[in-house]
Every structure is written in C-alpha cells, then in structure tokens.
C-alpha cells in the first residue's frame, strides 16, 4: 500500500536522475557567481504546469496591466506585515499584498478573536480597491503561515507538525488536512497560506527540521502534491475561491534543508546533482499540481542567496519547470542578497522575484524600487512580468469577482474553526503519526488500571503544538488559549476513565496512591526557525529532568511508558533504557486525545488502535550528527509484533555536553567559551579582563564580586564609582559573529540584572563591530526603572543597535554597558532570546 502511493514520486525522482547528463550549454551562468553556484537548466526536468487561466483571463491580465500606473505596479510587488501597515497605507501605496507574521495580529493582538481577523481583511480589501477612476481596482491578497492548520487563530484546529505527518505515510490524509486547513482559513477571510513546506532536511540540528515531512525526497514529493490539492483543489480554470480553497505556496526554494551544519539561513554547499535529486524532487509534483506561489529561501546555494539567484529562480523554476505562478521572498530575505539591503534590492527583481516580503521595510523599499524603475536600474519589462504574475494569481483565485472577504463562501462561519469533524481528522493524524520504538510488554495498558501521568510536558497544549502556534515561537501559551483542545494529560485521563480506570497527574512523579503504570511525557519546548538550531542532537540539560523521574519510578517497580514530544529525532538513550515502552509523539498539536488512543486496550484486552507510524528519518545512537544510527529510516514497531526484549544501550552521547546553543554569552558568572568579560574606560582604554573574583579595575574605581543567582555565586556584582571618563563593561571576542538573521528575526539581547542601588545616571548600551565601536550608544532608561534588589530580564531589541548604525554582521561585542555616574548592579545572564522571555523591553528606536 505504501509502496503504491509512492510510485509516482519515485518515477519523478527517476526523471530527475536521468537528467544527470553532461552540460550542453551553460545557459544560466553569471560572471559574478562562483562556479559551484552556476546551474545547467537543461539537466533539470521539464514539467507541464497545468492550465489554470483561460485565454479570456490572460487577456484580462494584459488589459489591467496596460491601465496601471507605475506607482501601482511597484505597489503590487510589495508585501507588508499587518503590524507595520494600515488600510490607509494600502490605499496610498497601492500595495499588492499583506501578511501576518508570527507575532502579528489585528490591532496588535496576536490572540485577537476570529471576528477581528475578518474585519481587518474587509478593511484591507476595501482600501485596496479605493482608487481614482483612471486606475484599475486590484484587490489585495493576504498571506498567512497556516503551516499546521490555521495556527494563528485561537480555537482553530492544530494538526501535527510535518515531521509527524511524515511518519504517518498517508498522502490521502495529507490531502484531507489541506482541505480542512483551507476551510478554516476561509472562515477568517485570508486567501493564501505559506504552505506546504517541502524541505528535505538532511541535518536535524536545523531549527526548521520539523517543518519538513522527511529526510527522504520521495516521501516529501509524495506529500507535496497531496497537500497542494487539499489546499487549492485540483488544478483547473475554476476560480480557487469559488470552492472551499486557498492559494498554496511551496517553500523554501531551494535546499533550505541542506545547509552546512543545519544552520538556518545558511549555505547549502552541495553539488547541483544533489540539489536536483534531493531538494528539487518535491517541486516536480508541486508544478504538476499547479501550485500558485513559490517562496524562496533565506539560505544560499554555494554562496549565492536564493532570492538573488537568477539561474535557479528564472532559468530553472520559471523557464525549465514552467512555473506559472508568482515567486515571493521570505521575511526581508532580499536584504541578505549581495549588494542589497532591506530597503533596496534590484538584483532580486532581476533574478526573478515577483513579490518582496518586506514586512517592516516596505515603505523605504517602495520608494527605492520606484526610483530604480524610473532610472532603468530595474527593467520595465521585468517589472511588468512580475506584476502580470501577481495579477494571474489574483485572477486565478477569483479576487476580482468574489467581493470582499466577508461576502465570500465560508466567511464568518466561526463554528467551523475547530469543529468536531476537523478535530477528528487531526486526532486521526496524531494516531497515525506516533512511532513505537520500544515495548517490552507494558503496552497496551490494561483496562481498569490506575495510571500516573508525570513529566513537564504532560499538560501543556502549547508545548505539544510546538512553534508557529498562535505566535512565531509558540512559547508562553497557556491552555486557556486553546479552547476545545485536549492536552495529553486530559486525553489520558479520559481514556483511563473510559476503560473503568483512573489517572492522576503529578508532574514530578510523586504519587498519592501507587499506580499500576506511569506515563511520563517529556521532550523539547517550542521553537521556530533559527531559534531552534542546536549544536548537538540532544535535549538541553534542563529538559532532562523527567528521565530521572522514569528511573525513580522504575526502581519502585512501576512500569513506565515514555512519551516524547519532539520536532526531531534526538539522542535519548537514557530515556530508552529507563522506560519499559517508548513512543515518539512528535509535535501532535491540539488533539492530545490521539496520543491516549494508542496507549490503551479495550475491554477485550486488545489494542484500541494499532501503531502504524514509521520513522521519517533515522534516529541517532549518539548526539553527533552523522554518527551511528540507532533506528533506521522507516523503523516502527507494531502491537502485532508482540513484546520485544531490550539490550541496554550505551549512555554516552559522544559529544561534549555543555548545553550551549551559541546564543548564551554569559551565564552562572562565567562568559561562554571564546568570550571574555572586560572592564575599561568608556573609550576602551585601560581594559582589564576579569578572570578571578573578587577583582578591581580602573585603579579601584570598579569592584567586581560574586553573588548568588540560581546557584551559589551564579552572578557577578559591579560597584562603579562616578568617573568623567566613564566605565564600560563588555563581553568581547576576537572573532566576529554575524547577528544579521537574529536582528531580522526580531530577537532581543536579554540581560538578567539586579539593580542594587538607585542609578545616578542612565546606563547606556552599544555593541562593537570588528573590535571597534560602531553605531551610537543607546540610553536604556528601563534599567533605572527597576526596583532595587529584584532580578529582572531586560530585553533590548537588536534592531536598536542596527538603527543606531551598528554593522550587525560583524559583532565582536554584543553587550557593552557604559556608565558615567556611580552604579551598583549585578548581572546573572546575557543571551539572545525572544520577546516572551523578557520582563521589560527597552523602548528604543528600531527603524
């Protein structure tokens, strides 16, 4: 059955492989590209993109284009984020599109009710068609990251993330998930989702690996067409919005899953053959099914950013594979193209980009793009081609004829969000995605038993849903934000009661009455994009506590079932050894009852459901990428296999285990590896590196001592005398660090501080670039507002420093605090992090 469903995809991959012929002509060469980044389009498969517009519609596109002003044309190729644009802006600049980023919502409220989303959709639409009589009325299109259900909306159905769906091996299920997602998107008035992700992850240290269905290109390709059909409907000339569908977008083109060291937004240093056979494979069914849009990747191929790679965007995707839709960049990704900035990137237009995703940079980008068309830097025929592609997608959707969002089919039918039928599909997906890795006989749990549920992930719907859930990172979400959803604990409690038994929740495993068996739920916490990049394939140290709970319960003779919440396979031998049964639930989403469905037997003692999930990627035997494999791709036990014996696994991760993720600069009183704590005058003179405590600097005017935070002497206290030359405390390194993507991703510099005496003057912050001062100092008034004696996390947006002139691609000191007046304060931790981790956020300019 599985082999049959994969046959078309295998054939597509065979086509790719058979195209591995000697180059006939280098039709996509550029003298400014490295040789390794030059492509040979004739070696790529030629695909028949389906007919999705009639000749009449194409005539209409050209007629609209002929009437458009230059200002309208430029506006149509720019997409702004709803957090940075208003309906009046849309009206004035004739913007072609908006999106809601991971932390954007109507009126600045991420958790705004569904009604508010539809109201804003109407307001944006009406603004977009409010034009002078001589201009054509072109409706706006709204794109959203509905990557595992309509996951920005409170109350929507949240499906398992793609890594779990890959384990299900069920393309038909994927198509149904696409259909449900499209319906729920239509309820709130959007028309376009940035899905499906068709990345083929090759290194699971990558923070976006869970967005990929599998490490196997054939499996990903088998799913790509199915999800596109589910979202868009079968390719035809019938308007997409005439049914219950939305426009889809395959992403991220190309090889975002193949970057060196799994670095998000990094470089895929691979051959063109590997690029084509592995990462290009899903784009064949995507083209065959008429995907409406393609999103380019932040990443590079052999040193050239994809948003600026004409060979791959135009010569391969558009000309060779006959893509008939529009190409959009990722969030400000055009600013990373060589010679470009967020405010200016003619090279991306030349490469074949049809729409800039310029969430907060759209206004300056509009002005410069308009000027570049006028002076010939951007060719008019390329602009017209881009605008025509935007218009074709809008006509294909039916935007010109369907009225405002609230007048369209399904709009405002809020009862469809998280409906029983939709949740049933999600629950089925959870059941099919779970993979049984170990079972010595404890599963299925017998009816009528007393079940202990432990582990810090047991009753946390946000955690089981992962990133891209209600917010970008999916962090800090209480269960109250998931009406109608079920945590794993609630699902287990209901399942136990249904068999005549009972369940008790005790996160630390300290039970009131001895249980017959224990279920311990543990694993990763939510993350998205580069914030999820890891150095080694293992859980962070602070997430391993439940393993000790497993050991303790087992020592008491209580059978233990481990349920792991994770976005990727990780080294977890200690937990595998400690548990009697081990199940990987991936990131199951809102329907935790699907997990419970798989763990219990019915009254007849037989399993209620059979396990069918198979690993979508190999499971590591160590935490070292590329190391030995413990369970191969496609592994998964069945209840029908019966109990299996277990040979104790080695508990050696094979790597240094310092828990560092590269974004912590100072912790527990000590700088991270390669960083040093220095004290100097504000101009950098008389610098002293602090290596021992207590210490004095600047002739005794600065005293450094130890204080407690979390652990004994886990922080450092600084007593500074007033000094006309000022005092600087900084963390520095010899090698520079590129914080461009972190800045673009709205990360903050988080300082865990305690003010020990009222400040006499404001503390000022800056960074160093290449060992030198760069940009202006930024006064942080919020330090002076903190209550004395209380530890607080102060967040400073990295954009504060870039707005002050810092070169964020060459940072040698990410933390530089200066004071002219007397000051007494303590510092426990300095790291990069998200808004949700800060108690106080500095109000400083970021533009």
């Amino acid at each position: 059955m599985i082999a049959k469903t994969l046959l078309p995809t295998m054939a597509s991959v065979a086509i790719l492989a058979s195209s591995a012929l000697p180059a006939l002509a280098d039709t996509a060469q550029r003298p400014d590209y490295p040789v390794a980044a030059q492509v040979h389009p004739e070696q790529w498969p030629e695909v028949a993109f389906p007919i999705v517009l009639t000749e009449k519609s194409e005539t209409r596109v050209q007629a609209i284009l002929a009437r458009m002003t230059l200002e309208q044309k430029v506006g149509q190729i720019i997409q702004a984020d709803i957090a940075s644009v208003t309906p009046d802006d849309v009206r004035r600049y004739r913007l072609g599109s908006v999106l809601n980023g991971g932390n954007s919502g109507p009126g600045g409220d991420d958790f705004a009710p569904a009604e508010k989303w539809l109201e804003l959709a109407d307001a944006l639409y009406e603004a977009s068609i409010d034009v002078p009589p001589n201009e054509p009325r072109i409706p706006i299109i709204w794109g959203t990251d509905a990557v595992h259900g309509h996951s920005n909306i409170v109350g929507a159905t949240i499906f398992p993330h793609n890594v779990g769906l890959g384990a299900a091996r069920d393309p038909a299920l994927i198509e149904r998930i696409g259909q449900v997602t499209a319906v729920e998107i239509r309820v709130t008035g959007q028309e376009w989702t940035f899905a499906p992700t068709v990345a083929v992850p090759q290194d699971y240290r990558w923070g976006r690996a869970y967005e990929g269905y599998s490490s196997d290109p054939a499996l990903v390709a088998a799913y790509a067409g199915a999800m596109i059909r589910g979202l868009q409907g079968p390719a035809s000339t019938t308007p997409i919005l005439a049914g219950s569908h939305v426009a889809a977008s395959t992403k991220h083109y190309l090889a975002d899953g193949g970057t060196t060291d799994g670095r998000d937004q990094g470089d895929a240093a691979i051959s063109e053959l590997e690029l084509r056979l592995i990462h290009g494979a899903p784009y064949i069914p995507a083209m065959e099914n008429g995907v409406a849009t393609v999103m380019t990747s932040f990443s590079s191929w052999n040193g050239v950013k994809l948003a600026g790679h004409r060979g791959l965007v135009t010569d391969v995707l558009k000309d060779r594979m006959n893509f008939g839709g529009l190409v959009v960049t990722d969030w400000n990704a055009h600013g990373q193209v060589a010679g470009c900035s967020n405010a200016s990137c003619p090279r991306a237009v030349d490469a074949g980009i049809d729409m800039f995703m310029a969430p907060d940079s759209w206004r300056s980008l509009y002005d410069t793009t308009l000027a570049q068309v006028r002076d010939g830097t951007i060719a008019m025929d390329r602009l017209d081609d881009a605008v025509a592609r935007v218009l074709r997608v809008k006509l294909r959707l039916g935007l010109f004829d369907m009225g405002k969002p609230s007048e369209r089919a399904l709009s405002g039918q809020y009862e469809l969000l998280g409906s029983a039928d939709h949740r049933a599909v999600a629950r089925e997906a959870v059941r099919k995605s779970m993979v049984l890795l170990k079972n010595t006989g404890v599963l299925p749990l017998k009816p009528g038993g007393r079940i202990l549920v432990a582990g810090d992930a047991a009753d946390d719907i946000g955690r089981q849903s992962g990133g891209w859930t209600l917010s970008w990172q999916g962090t800090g979400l209480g269960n109250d934000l998931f009406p109608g959803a079920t945590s794993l604990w609630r699902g287990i409690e209901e399942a136990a009661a249904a068999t005549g038994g009972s369940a008790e929740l005790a996160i630390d495993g300290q039970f009131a009455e001895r249980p017959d068996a224990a279920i311990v739920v543990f694993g990763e916490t939510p993350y998205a994009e580069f914030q999820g990049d890891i150095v080694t394939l293992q859980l962070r140290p602070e997430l391993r506590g439940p393993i000790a709970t497993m050991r303790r319960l087992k020592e008491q003779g209580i059978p233990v079932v481990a349920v792991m919440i994770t976005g990727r396979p990780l080294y977890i031998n200690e937990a595998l050894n400690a548990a009697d049964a081990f199940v990987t639930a991936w990131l199951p989403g809102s329907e935790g009852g699907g997990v419970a469905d798989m763990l219990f037997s019915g009254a007849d003692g037989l399993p209620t459901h059979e396990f069918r999930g198979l690993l979508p990627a190999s499971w590591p035997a160590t935490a070292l990428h590329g190391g030995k494999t413990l369970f191969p791709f496609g592994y998964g036990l069945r209840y029908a296999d019966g109990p299996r014996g277990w040979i104790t696994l080695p508990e050696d991760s094979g790597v240094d285990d310092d828990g560092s993720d590269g974004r912590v600069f100072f912790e527990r009183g000590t700088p991270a590896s390669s960083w040093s704590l220095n004290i100097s005058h504000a101009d950098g003179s008389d610098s002293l590196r602090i290596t021992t405590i207590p210490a004095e600097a600047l002739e005794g005017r600065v005293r450094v001592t130890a204080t407690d935070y979390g652990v004994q002497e886990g922080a450092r206290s600084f007593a500074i005398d007033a000094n006309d030359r000022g005092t600087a405390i900084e963390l520095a390194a010899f090698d520079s660090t590129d914080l461009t993507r972190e800045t673009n991703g709205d990360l903050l510099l988080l300082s865990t501080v305690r003010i020990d005496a009222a400040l006499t003057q404001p503390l000022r912050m800056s960074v160093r670039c290449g060992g030198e001062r760069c940009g202006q100092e930024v006064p942080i008034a919020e330090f002076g507002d903190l209550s004395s004696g209380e530890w607080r996390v102060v967040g400073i947006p990295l954009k504060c420093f870039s707005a002050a002139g810092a070169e964020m691609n060459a940072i040698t000191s990410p933390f530089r605090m200066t004071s002219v007046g007397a000051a007494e304060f303590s510092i426990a931790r300095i790291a990069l992090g998200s808004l949700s981790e800060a108690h106080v956020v500095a109000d400083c300019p970021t533009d």
Side-chain angles (χ1 to χ4, degrees), residues 17-32:
S18 67
S19 301
L21 304 172
L24 301 176
D26 291 348
T27 59
Q29 311 306 337
R30 289 182 63 118
D32 52 344

Side-chain angles (χ1 to χ4, degrees), residues 515-578:
D516 297 308
I519 299 172
V520 181
V521 187
F522 76 112
E524 292 192 293
T525 50
Y527 52 83
E529 299 194 44
F530 54 82
Q531 293 201 35
D533 285 1
I534 53 177
V535 178
T536 58
L537 291 168
Q538 58 185 333
L539 284 175
R540 300 196 310 271
E542 66 269 24
L543 298 178
R544 302 174 198 167
I547 300 175
T549 300
M550 296 178 205
R551 291 193 182 111
R552 188 176 68 251
L553 291 167
K554 191 169 183 178
E555 288 169 358
Q556 296 175 69
I558 297 170
V560 174
V561 178
V563 176
M564 187 175 185
I565 301 296
T566 184
R568 49 194 156 199
L570 295 173
Y571 163 79
I572 203 69
N573 287 12
E574 292 92 340
L576 281 161
N577 285 334

Side-chain angles (χ1 to χ4, degrees), residues 113-138:
E115 294 86 352
K116 295 297 183 182
W117 292 79
L118 186 54
E119 287 176 13
L120 180 58
D122 272 356
L124 293 166
Y125 172 89
E126 289 169 343
S128 70
I129 63 170
D130 183 10
V131 297
N134 62 314
E135 294 183 12
R137 301 167 71 187
I138 305 174

Side-chain angles (χ1 to χ4, degrees), residues 414-492:
Y414 303 115
E415 69 277 6
L416 293 175
L417 294 172
S419 69
D421 288 345
H422 293 177
R423 291 188 186 278
V425 176
R427 188 163 179 162
E428 176 188 349
V430 175
R431 289 196 297 267
K432 290 182 174 179
S433 67
M434 292 176 63
V435 180
L436 180 62
L437 295 180
K438 177 183 180 181
N439 186 21
T440 60
V442 64
L443 288 180
L445 297 170
K446 297 179 176 59
R450 180 179 297 280
I451 307 300
L452 172 69
V453 181
D456 52 12
D459 193 24
D460 191 334
I461 300 172
R463 184 164 173 182
Q464 71 194 41
S465 298
W468 294 110
T469 304
L470 300 186
S471 67
W472 178 34
Q473 295 296 315
T475 55
L477 306 174
N479 287 354
D480 60 310
L481 289 171
F482 297 91
T486 306
S487 70
L488 270 65
W489 148 245
R490 290 300 179 191
I492 293 166

